[in-house]
Amino acid sequence: MTLATGSLPDTSTAPARPTARPAALPARGRLRRRVRSVSPAATLGLASFALYALYALRHHARFDTGAYDLGIFGQGVRAYADLRLPASEIRAATAAPGLQDVAFPLLGDHFHPVLATLAPLYRLFPHVETLLIAQAALAAWSVYVVTRSGGPWIGAAYALSWGIQNLIGFDFHEVTFALPLLALALAAYLDRRWTACAAWASALLLVKEDMGATVLVLGLLLLRRGPGPARRAGLALCVLGPTAAALIVLVVIPHFNPGGAYVYLGSQNPAGTLAANGTKALTLLMTLLPTLFLAARSPLLSLALPTLAWRFLSDNPSYWGIHFHYSAVLMPIVFFALIDAVSRGKAPTRLRGRIPLAVALTAAAIGSFFPLARIVTPGFWTDTPRITAARQAVSLIPNGARVAAGHNLAPHLTDRATVFLFAPDITDVRRQPVDWIVSDTERPGIGTRPGPSEVSGFRQVFAADGYVVLRRK
């Protein structure tokens, strides 16, 4: 409150009195003051990081992560840390014939040089869990940015959104880098910081090749803001996005790919766009539902179109639905579209003050059906005999060994061994240069039946609860 000058006492003739030095606060009081000074955005970001990291590490310890994709990215980041181009023996399992016994160059599959930023951290902590912790930190960073722009209720709704949960509950994926970059770009857009918006958006081109289309759409949105800095930033993105995407898809990736091509260009099926038994409609519904469909009232929602387009046009059904990590990049978009709609008065006036709480309650209700809900179940923290047997099996593989490992066993070995994927329906272990096999004879992998307990040319050295370890004779 500001007081009027005339109400102040006249102190012109009063003698100056020495100011008493305030007593020092006790340690507990200083701690309380520091805690109160932490912003809600920082608090929610730190809490999200703890939740994500705790879940991911336990999920991995339960042998629920897999060769696709944690094992692949573990090998790629390990290569960067050793100052080599990223390559993966596991990814070779689904490469062309004749390439399954060598490391596949990952830049010939997707363009994700941003992964190199994890190399120094992996060098210090050479464990695949480092990737999981980094992913938790990147996702939590985006929670901080969303909360700072939309407030704690919307931030909590974003933190618990099903797309983020599926990313944390899947494995590790490079798209996690897109979360804070998108959030920072859109926060700058709403704050009318056009240069910062363009800078953060440009960094998305280092995450994955499909981000070029998203950068283009953001450039078009900036052009709508009129002449001046916004238009200049928009023009830059409109040129940079499609140019970089074309260069990456037509030149860079084919250069690294052993077959000399970007293999995903031929995987589109426009004729089958609607033939998905409602799967794609469900994905659209679930994308908008966390925002109570208010995101549809903002032009920012158009940023979701490129991601939805390549997914729905693909002939791979895994891309169509709400599973795995594919919808994570949609979450910053729809929540910033919500923030934009509410701040510009596009939400119903009578509901405007209740929207943040309603969105948070909706996210909590939906989130109870997704991975993070497992963290409060006793079974999630129980080591079953199968988990114990899996731990024993991987411990028998010597450091530096060349091993063919089952899907859920491979990421536990990539830090200290050369790991190929053991998948009887996909790979031929006789062609893989390995001396060890560690296999799960009960649990199928991706696209393959459970592994056999006996393989010609190998002898069994361990068997327990469905896990076997074989050594070359």
Side-chain angles (χ1 to χ4, degrees), residues 36-46 144 147-148 151-152:
R36 289 194 203 102
S37 67
V38 177
S39 70
T43 301
L44 194 52
L46 290 172
Y144 168 78
T147 306
R148 194 176 57 183

Side-chain angles (χ1 to χ4, degrees), residues 341-357:
V342 173
S343 64
R344 292 191 302 114
K346 298 299 182 180
T349 306
R350 67 183 183 280
L351 300 177
R352 199 168 300 160
R354 302 174 186 174
I355 286 172
L357 178 58

